[in-house]
């Protein structure tokens, strides 16, 4: 899994750098503003529709490579990851009519969405620019329950969709770098089975804080 995440991050970074290099050469003399940008965010995330691991956490990152197609419209690719944790005290679980288990639990919910991203700027000339955006793609999910010296996990793939609203703040008129703030909602169709039941679909809400290069 770690190798898979590293490969996705390297691919996205390489693609963003390639676009950025080509764009800089093409616009060096006619446009002082860069049209390709890389966004790196720290992420807070809270699951909404499940009590498996529903505690808000900051164990996540978001990476986006965007290209300004027009002064208002940007498109590109993204990859993000997040893990939510929850401890459940000792209790007796009825596994079947004839089986029960008494244990405490450490739950971990890992999410890895990636795909296409689109942003629409609500202004064109300001250095403080609000925008609306959307992300569409796929998501890998893995839910793990640790109990005693054992663990139980299930993983699944699903479709991912996420609208967001945000703010881009550029300290310079060239907009070569800046700060990024965004709030988002996401839904994924992943279905996983846990020790205490199935999870059908995953809803999340959170915010991101990062830097634009």
């Amino acid at each position: 899994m770690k190798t898979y995440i590293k490969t996705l991050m390297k691919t996205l970074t390489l693609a963003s750098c390639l676009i950025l290099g080509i764009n800089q050469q093409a616009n060096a003399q006619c446009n002082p503003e860069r049209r390709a940008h890389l966004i790196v965010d720290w992420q807070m995330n809270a699951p909404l529709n499940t009590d498996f691991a529903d505690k808000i956490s900051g164990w996540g990152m978001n990476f986006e490579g965007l290209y300004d197609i027009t002064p208002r419209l940007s498109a590109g690719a993204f990859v993000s990851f997040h893990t939510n944790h929850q401890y459940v005290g000792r209790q007796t679980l009825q596994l079947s009519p004839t089986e029960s288990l008494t244990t405490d639990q450490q739950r971990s919910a890992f999410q890895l969405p990636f795909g296409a991203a689109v942003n629409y700027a609500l202004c064109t000339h300001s250095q403080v620019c609000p925008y609306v955006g959307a992300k569409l793609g796929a998501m890998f999910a893995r839910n793990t329950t640790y109990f005693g010296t054992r663990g139980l996990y299930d993983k699944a793939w699903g479709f991912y969709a996420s609208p967001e609203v945000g703010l881009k703040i550029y300290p310079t008129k060239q907009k070569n770098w800046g700060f990024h703030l965004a709030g988002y909602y996401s839904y994924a169709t992943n279905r996983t089975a846990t020790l205490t039941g199935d999870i059908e679909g995953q809803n999340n809400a959170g915010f991101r804080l990062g830097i634009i290069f």
Side-chain angles (χ1 to χ4, degrees), residues 13-94:
T13 303
L14 180 61
S16 300
C17 290
L18 180 61
I19 293 173
L20 183 59
I22 295 173
N23 183 71
Q24 282 183 309
Q25 292 180 2
N27 295 280
Q29 298 181 350
C30 62
N31 188 356
E33 294 185 6
R34 272 204 328 232
R35 298 179 65 184
H37 300 276
L38 175 65
I39 300 176
V40 180
D41 292 317
W42 166 70
Q43 179 173 284
M44 287 288 292
N45 183 76
L48 301 178
N49 68 322
T50 174
D51 59 358
F52 175 75
D54 59 358
K55 304 301 181 183
I56 188 170
S57 84
W59 294 98
M61 295 287 289
N62 174 69
F63 303 89
E64 296 179 44
L66 297 172
Y67 183 83
D68 297 335
I69 300 173
T70 70
R72 289 185 181 271
L73 182 64
S74 301
F78 82 96
V79 59
S80 62
F81 63 88
H82 206 97
T83 303
N84 293 87
H85 301 283
Q86 182 178 6
Y87 174 76
V88 179
R90 192 174 182 84
Q91 60 180 303
T92 299
L93 305 173
Q94 196 68 38

Side-chain angles (χ1 to χ4, degrees), residues 50-53 86 88-89 91-96 101 103-107 143-147 152-154 192-199:
T50 174
D51 59 358
F52 175 75
Q86 182 178 6
V88 179
Q91 60 180 303
T92 299
L93 305 173
Q94 196 68 38
L95 303 180
S96 73
L101 174 66
T103 184
D104 60 349
Q105 304 172 54
Q106 180 62 53
R107 298 172 176 174
N143 292 329
T144 306
T145 303
Y146 300 96
F147 53 96
L152 176 69
Y153 74 89
D154 192 21
T192 54
T194 69
L195 185 63
T196 56
D198 294 347
I199 298 176

Side-chain angles (χ1 to χ4, degrees), residues 52-193:
F52 175 75
D54 59 358
K55 304 301 181 183
I56 188 170
S57 84
W59 294 98
M61 295 287 289
N62 174 69
F63 303 89
E64 296 179 44
L66 297 172
Y67 183 83
D68 297 335
I69 300 173
T70 70
R72 289 185 181 271
L73 182 64
S74 301
F78 82 96
V79 59
S80 62
F81 63 88
H82 206 97
T83 303
N84 293 87
H85 301 283
Q86 182 178 6
Y87 174 76
V88 179
R90 192 174 182 84
Q91 60 180 303
T92 299
L93 305 173
Q94 196 68 38
L95 303 180
S96 73
T98 59
E99 295 178 301
S100 63
L101 174 66
T102 301
T103 184
D104 60 349
Q105 304 172 54
Q106 180 62 53
R107 298 172 176 174
S108 176
F110 175 75
Q111 303 177 53
L112 176 67
F114 59 92
V118 176
N119 288 349
Y120 184 80
L122 301 181
C123 64
T124 57
H125 302 294
S126 174
Q127 290 173 235
V128 179
C129 184
Y131 73 92
V132 294
K135 292 179 172 64
L136 294 174
M139 188 176 89
F140 172 82
R142 173 170 169 155
N143 292 329
T144 306
T145 303
Y146 300 96
F147 53 96
T149 59
R150 302 169 56 190
L152 176 69
Y153 74 89
D154 192 21
K155 56 187 179 181
W157 287 90
F159 172 76
Y160 177 88
S162 175
E164 70 177 50
V165 294
L167 193 65
K168 297 178 181 179
I169 304 172
Y170 299 99
T172 65
K173 292 182 179 181
Q174 289 75 25
K175 299 183 179 180
N176 289 329
W177 70 280
F179 302 102
H180 180 237
L181 176 65
Y184 69 91
Y185 167 82
S186 68
Y187 174 75
T189 60
N190 305 65
R191 177 177 179 178
T192 54

